[in-house]
Amino acid sequence: MGSVGSVGSVGTVGTVGTVGTVGSRGDSRIAPTSNLPPSPPHPPSPPHPPLPPASFPWRATMETALAELRDILEIDKILPHLQNISQLILIPHRDLHLLPLEYFFPELEITRIPSAYFGWERLYFPATGGESRLSIEYPPTSKSGTSSQNQLLFAEAEAGYIAHLYPHSHRISHRDATKERVMAAVRANISAQIFHFTGHGVHDLDNPDNSGLQMTDGELLTMRDLFDKLQLPPYMLVCLSACETGIASQKDLIDEFVGLTSPFLTAKTTHIVSTLWSVEEISTCMLMIEFFRLFQNGKPGNIALAEAKAWLRTVTNSKLSQWWEARAEDLTYEHLHYDTFKSRARSAAAANPDECPYNHPYFWAGFTVTGKVN
């Protein structure tokens, strides 16, 4: 498979300046807009609400900020040392925890670890083959449960398709996903090999202990809850498909990794997939579905994520239409989300066939995997 490279303390980014705006503390998943103008006579990409520039200026300036970060970290001086390398280990230092370092090495299979010890500890952990799954799915975060902002249609589609892949799933969905019920399910399903959360996540930069996964009515299952109130099993895979779940603490930063992944790492989880910023709903649905298809077919979590991200980054509308059609047929017409998938297939077919609508790093660069190194 080739050699494994390691980038440890690449350097300390003290005041990151404009690069520090790469993260978002704002809203949850936002519908995509394309950066590439459609070529006539083809119609434009499927209509989506534009990203609000006042609320998300970092989205518009992301590529400029990443170019600045590339210069700060002297990435071009690192690249020659990675020739003939297929896997890269990242041990981020201080503020580097907060940044999408994977963006600079798109062709490599990349795993983050908080320290060399965590990598050594997981050398012989099983990385493939899990079938038993605990799935927490799209808890409504308002008391009415009907807010369009909080009603994640494609989070539901994501959860529904992946449940089709894993029939041996214990699922807690929508209003049933209260904090009390989820904690009870974690305790009762200690043999589960996969923990999958689909919904909203919140990160508290001032007090990371209060970061958490939003349960029904907005109640948080916090990092402190995960540490103190639950004895988490050693999952093979934890997938936190929510906004901002992977961010580390920016307050009094030291070399320790502080974030929602920490309780799972302490419990000896093999791989944890999480996000660095607010992620968009439709592209996340696609990426997670593709990730789990690869994982179920025997790819370890870090390789499955690398391949899923590469696919999302390069897939054209023409290929997307075929992909949505194929996923709909996987479900059969009686499935709850069959029509959703067919509708997406029609939308992609009506767009410029050669356009890559999810090429922008906003859609894929924020997903990271932490844990076992192959």
Side-chain angles (χ1 to χ4, degrees), residues 16-339:
V16 183
T18 57
V19 177
T21 63
V22 172
S24 166
R25 296 190 61 201
D27 198 39
S28 58
R29 303 176 180 183
I30 315 296
T33 56
S34 172
N35 293 298
L36 300 176
S39 303
H42 299 295
S45 295
H48 298 291
L51 294 165
S55 301
F56 294 88
W58 61 272
R59 163 63 170 81
T61 61
M62 178 180 287
E63 289 177 307
T64 300
L66 288 171
E68 295 176 15
L69 180 62
R70 185 186 190 96
D71 292 338
I72 291 171
L73 299 181
E74 300 184 330
I75 296 297
D76 290 339
K77 292 184 180 180
I78 297 174
L79 292 176
H81 299 285
L82 300 181
Q83 294 182 11
N84 301 318
I85 295 295
S86 61
Q87 297 186 50
L88 187 64
I89 304 166
L90 295 180
I91 308 177
H93 179 61
R94 296 178 67 88
D95 292 41
L96 297 181
H97 283 303
L98 304 173
L99 302 174
L101 303 176
E102 291 83 351
Y103 169 80
F104 302 111
F105 314 102
E107 305 304 321
L108 299 180
E109 298 156 7
I110 300 176
T111 307
R112 293 185 175 214
I113 53 176
S115 69
Y117 171 79
F118 274 82
W120 172 83
E121 182 183 46
R122 283 160 174 73
L123 279 178
Y124 301 104
F125 283 16
T128 59
E131 290 293 332
S132 176
R133 175 173 162 268
L134 174 59
S135 180
I136 314 303
E137 303 169 359
Y138 47 91
T141 55
S142 66
K143 291 191 179 298
S144 67
T146 59
S147 168
S148 60
Q149 175 183 340
N150 294 325
Q151 202 170 22
L152 299 176
L153 171 63
F154 285 90
E156 297 180 19
E158 171 191 329
Y161 185 91
I162 295 169
H164 160 77
L165 291 178
Y166 291 89
H168 302 295
S169 295
H170 181 84
R171 303 175 66 188
I172 306 178
S173 303
H174 204 55
R175 298 206 63 84
D176 289 338
T178 63
K179 179 177 178 178
E180 181 179 356
R181 189 166 295 175
V182 168
M183 291 176 67
V186 170
R187 296 186 183 106
N189 290 270
I190 58 173
S191 62
Q193 297 161 302
I194 300 170
F195 179 89
H196 185 198
F197 176 84
T198 307
H200 292 283
V202 172
H203 187 78
D204 187 334
L205 284 174
D206 294 323
N207 189 350
D209 281 359
N210 292 332
S211 300
L213 304 175
Q214 287 192 337
M215 301 290 109
T216 295
D217 296 340
E219 191 174 17
L220 284 181
L221 180 63
T222 66
M223 187 174 77
R224 184 47 53 194
D225 292 328
L226 294 170
F227 266 126
D228 293 346
K229 298 180 180 180
L230 293 172
Q231 187 172 356
L232 295 170
Y235 295 112
M236 181 180 297
L237 174 67
V238 168
C239 188
L240 304 177
S241 183
C243 65
E244 301 184 347
T245 52
I247 301 178
S249 171
Q250 196 178 33
K251 183 179 181 181
D252 300 326
L253 276 172
I254 55 175
D255 281 338
E256 293 298 322
F257 183 80
V258 181
L260 274 174
T261 58
S262 298
F264 296 101
L265 285 172
T266 302
K268 302 189 186 308
T269 292
T270 303
H271 283 127
I272 304 168
V273 174
S274 59
T275 59
L276 292 172
W277 56 68
S278 300
V279 287
E280 189 272 330
E281 185 181 2
I282 299 175
S283 60
T284 298
C285 171
M286 295 189 299
L287 188 143
M288 285 292 103
I289 287 175
E290 194 63 15
F291 167 79
F292 272 101
R293 292 178 69 234
L294 292 164
F295 182 76
Q296 192 187 54
N297 284 329
K299 297 289 180 74
N302 57 338
I303 296 176
L305 184 65
E307 293 187 8
K309 288 167 66 174
W311 169 79
L312 184 67
R313 187 176 74 250
T314 59
V315 69
T316 63
N317 280 317
S318 174
K319 294 294 185 181
L320 268 183
S321 178
Q322 298 173 27
W323 185 87
W324 282 112
E325 285 281 359
R327 302 294 75 78
E329 296 307 318
D330 291 342
L331 297 176
T332 74
Y333 73 93
E334 296 177 339
H335 194 278
L336 177 64
H337 298 292
Y338 177 84
D339 288 340

